[in-house]
């Protein structure tokens, strides 16, 4: 079995569905073939097809499908992963395929162990078994804790069926079990100061509670043929490579009840040489990889409805490697604000916000819904929300408006998306103005722009002068009061929350993108030290 790898394809399970996520690829013959086959198999089970869910951005959300049609949700997740992988294979060949949770069925299908129709049948039989035999009141929750600490909490609660379900990242572990038991674990985690997030999962996956469903599933799929593998597959459940001698249907049955060791899989493959992890879809797996191993490229492949329209000019720098990045003016020559063509569709902005928050916070994508209360449901306090506003400002080019209090008080991402859309519309309609500092020059098309084309200001002395002007203007202080060595809190009375708000403006002004979310920016006590850090980040971006 291969021991040296470079490129790993990741196929998502739960969280791998977003309404209309394949809308931009609906005309692709390979996508059409996958969707046609999956719809045909759905008909064999007396169900409607799922093509519309994946090609129509107005389709029901994952949260809604969890409540109303988990069968369709599971099938859509499978179809999305297989179709996305087929598209990714046009550009590069994976050395290894890794399926996360139910994504193992998609990985084995792409690898040739099952044809697309039989892969879809496996999903349908699995869903039927779960609907018939899964206990009521099951739940799953993501904890910002290492797996061993999460296991201690599970042991402390000591309720049958409660289990560590997934080890995702160094500080993200999913637990699964009864509603009451999972709720108790969440309260214990929160008492320890750890974030706990309820997942939109229709069943308590990877829990002993699914034993009866697993037995029924195994019996139902006994007649499905297993074929020789054409690609290498690593199973995060079995903790190693599978082979033609592996009973893969038995593996899929075990997977319903056993934990997913995704973190160990990522680290093991990285140790074997993997430097590129391609997420076939968009469920937050690439963010988990970046949290788990250093010096790798990890990116999603799907252009969702939020990114559709390749010819449209976008004001937001997108972090995916194949998306446009801002080209920053090398000189301080005035740049007309009116030349920026912003995204003003709130629905598209919401999808980008969900991806941004999921990646930055390390949450499963399905946990970041538009109507989830940022504080009550997701535990994002005011300070963290202000830090995230720095990323939002940089991504959408909000400029000065990001410092307005109305942004930080929005309770949900849906409401924040509406406000961003309004602000971008106002900026677009505003008369041309000039800025003395560099602003992002937006790509007029979706062709990738090499990062090397960014020419930032990297002179700390120049950056300090711009910071002094920015802070003086925004805070209404006399310019002479804003010295480089003045302590922002002790001398100027700028508390942590206000400092985080100001970081949004700093991020937008200097094109810091994701680095603005790093805690080191907000803890710098003086503008001189902040200027040095901005210069360092600008240099690193070159």
């Amino acid at each position: 079995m291969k021991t040296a790898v470079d490129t790993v394809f990741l196929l998502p399970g739960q969280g791998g569905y977003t309404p209309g996520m394949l809308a931009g690829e609906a005309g692709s013959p390979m996508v059409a073939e996958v969707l046609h086959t999956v719809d045909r198999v759905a008909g064999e089970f007396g169900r409607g097809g799922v093509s519309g869910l994946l090609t129509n951005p107005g389709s029901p959300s994952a949260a809604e499908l969890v409540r109303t049609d988990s069968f369709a949700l599971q099938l859509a997740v499978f179809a999305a992963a297989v179709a996305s992988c087929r598209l990714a294979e046009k550009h590069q060949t994976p050395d290894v395929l890794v399926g996360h949770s139910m994504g193992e069925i998609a990985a084995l299908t792409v690898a040739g162990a099952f044809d697309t129709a039989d892969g879809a049948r496996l999903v349908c039989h699995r869903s039927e078994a779960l609907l018939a035999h899964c206990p009521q009141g099951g739940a799953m929750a993501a904890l910002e804790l290492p797996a061993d600490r999460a296991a201690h909490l599970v042991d402390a609660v000591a309720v049958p069926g409660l289990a560590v379900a997934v080890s995702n990242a160094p500080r993200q572990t999913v637990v699964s079990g009864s509603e009451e038991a999972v709720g108790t674990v969440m309260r214990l985690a929160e008492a320890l100061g750890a974030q706990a997030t309820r997942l939109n999962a229709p069943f308590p996956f990877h829990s002993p509670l699914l034993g009866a469903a697993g037995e029924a599933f195994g019996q139902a799929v006994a007649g499905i043929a297993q074929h020789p593998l054409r690609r290498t597959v690593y199973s995060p459940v079995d903790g190693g490579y599978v082979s033609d001698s592996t009973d893969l249907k038995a593996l899929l049955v075990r997977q319903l009840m056993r934990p997913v060791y995704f973190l160990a899989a990522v680290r093991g493959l990285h140790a074997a040489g993997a430097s590129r992890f391609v997420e076939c879809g968009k469920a937050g797996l690439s963010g988990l990889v970046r949290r788990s191993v250093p010096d790798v490229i990890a990116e999603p492949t799907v252009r969702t409805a939020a990114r559709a329209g390749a010819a449209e000019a976008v004001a937001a720098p997108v972090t995916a490697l194949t998306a446009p990045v801002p080209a920053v003016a090398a000189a301080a020559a005035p740049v007309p604000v009116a030349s920026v063509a912003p995204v003003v569709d709130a629905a598209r902005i919401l999808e980008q916000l969900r991806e941004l928050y999921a990646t930055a916070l390390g949450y499963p994508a399905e946990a970041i819904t538009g109507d989830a209360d940022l504080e009550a449901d997701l535990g994002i306090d005011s300070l963290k929300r202000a830090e995230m506003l720095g990323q939002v400002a940089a991504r959408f080019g909000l400029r000065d408006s990001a410092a307005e209090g109305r942004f930080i008080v929005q309770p949900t991402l849906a409401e924040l998306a509406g406000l961003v859309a309004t602000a971008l519309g106002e900026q677009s309609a505003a008369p041309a103005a000039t800025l003395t500092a560099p602003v992002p020059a937006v790509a007029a098309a979706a062709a990738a722009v090499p990062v090397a084309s960014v020419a930032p200001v990297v002179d700390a002395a120049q950056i300090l002068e711009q910071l002094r002007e920015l802070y003086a203007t925004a805070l209404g202080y006399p310019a002479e009061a804003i010295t480089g060595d003045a302590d922002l809190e002790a001398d100027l009375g700028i508390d942590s929350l206000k400092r985080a708000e100001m970081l949004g403006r700093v991020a937008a002004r200097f094109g810091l993108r994701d680095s603005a979310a790093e805690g080191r920016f907000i803890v710098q006590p003086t503008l001189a030290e902040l200027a040095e850090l901005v210069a360092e980040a600008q240099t690193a971006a070159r």
Side-chain angles (χ1 to χ4, degrees), residues 23-418:
E25 306 291 351
S28 165
M30 62 183 65
V31 170
E33 181 182 358
V34 170
L35 296 181
H36 173 75
T37 300
V38 171
D39 284 352
R40 174 169 56 82
V41 171
E44 295 176 8
F45 286 76
R47 302 278 183 160
V50 298
S51 297
L53 295 175
L54 296 167
T55 57
N56 178 8
S59 298
S61 67
E64 184 175 348
L65 291 175
V66 164
R67 295 190 298 269
T68 62
D69 196 348
S70 64
F71 187 100
L73 175 60
Q74 306 301 298
L75 203 52
V77 167
F78 168 80
V82 173
S84 298
C85 191
R86 301 288 190 211
L87 291 170
E89 286 181 315
K90 292 196 308 181
H91 305 290
Q92 53 195 318
T93 300
D95 297 300
V96 179
L97 300 171
V98 177
H100 187 284
S101 187
M102 195 190 78
E104 288 215 70
I105 300 178
L108 293 170
T109 298
V110 172
F114 307 104
D115 61 33
T116 304
D118 277 345
R121 292 185 184 104
L122 286 168
V123 174
C124 291
H125 283 302
R126 183 178 186 268
S127 294
E128 287 197 332
L130 288 164
L131 287 167
H133 300 282
C134 180
Q136 296 297 313
M140 301 183 76
L143 311 179
E144 283 298 292
L145 288 172
D148 57 349
R149 293 193 66 193
H152 288 318
L153 295 185
V154 168
D155 291 343
V157 175
V159 172
L162 179 65
V164 170
V166 189
S167 172
N168 268 331
R171 290 186 60 81
Q172 191 193 95
T173 305
V174 177
V175 296
S176 180
S178 68
E179 182 83 30
E180 182 179 359
V182 169
T184 301
V185 171
M186 292 178 68
R187 289 190 293 274
L188 288 174
E190 290 165 350
L192 295 173
Q195 175 64 41
T197 305
R198 185 68 58 92
L199 302 184
N200 279 322
F203 306 104
F205 295 113
H206 313 297
S207 159
L209 293 177
L210 299 188
E215 184 176 352
F217 175 42
Q219 293 172 356
V221 301
I224 292 180
Q226 176 179 323
H227 306 290
L229 293 162
R230 297 192 301 268
R231 295 208 183 282
T232 303
V233 178
Y234 187 102
S235 169
V237 169
D238 274 6
Y241 294 101
V242 303
S243 67
D244 290 334
S245 64
T246 306
D247 185 338
L248 298 177
K249 289 179 291 182
L251 165 63
L252 296 175
V253 171
R254 291 194 302 276
Q255 186 228 63
L256 273 176
M257 290 84 73
R258 291 191 180 177
V260 176
Y261 299 106
F262 184 70
L263 171 60
V266 168
R267 285 184 165 171
L269 292 169
H270 179 251
S275 61
R276 178 183 293 271
F277 291 80
V278 178
E279 181 181 354
C280 299
K282 187 176 71 69
L285 298 184
S286 49
L288 295 174
V289 170
R290 288 192 292 270
R291 294 175 65 184
S292 303
V293 290
D295 304 322
V296 296
I297 296 171
E299 55 186 337
T301 60
V302 164
R303 288 176 62 245
T304 66
R307 295 182 186 174
E312 295 179 9
V314 180
V318 181
T319 56
L321 296 183
T322 55
V325 299
V328 181
V335 179
V337 174
S339 65
V340 178
V343 177
V344 294
D345 183 332
R348 293 172 59 195
I349 290 171
L350 174 58
E351 287 308 306
Q352 293 189 33
L353 286 174
R354 291 183 63 234
E355 178 185 355
L356 182 67
Y357 274 64
T359 300
L361 301 172
Y363 284 179
E366 66 268 23
I368 310 294
T369 60
D371 58 357
D373 188 284
L374 295 176
E375 186 163 1
D377 296 330
L378 300 178
I380 305 174
D381 60 21
S382 298
L383 181 56
K384 189 64 179 178
R385 197 181 304 180
E387 289 185 45
M388 285 303 301
L389 185 57
Q391 291 207 49
V392 173
R395 180 120 181 200
F396 294 97
L398 293 179
R399 302 199 304 275
D400 290 351
S401 61
E404 299 174 11
R406 58 181 180 151
F407 281 85
I408 202 169
V409 299
Q410 298 304 312
T412 69
L413 285 189
E415 290 165 289
L416 179 58

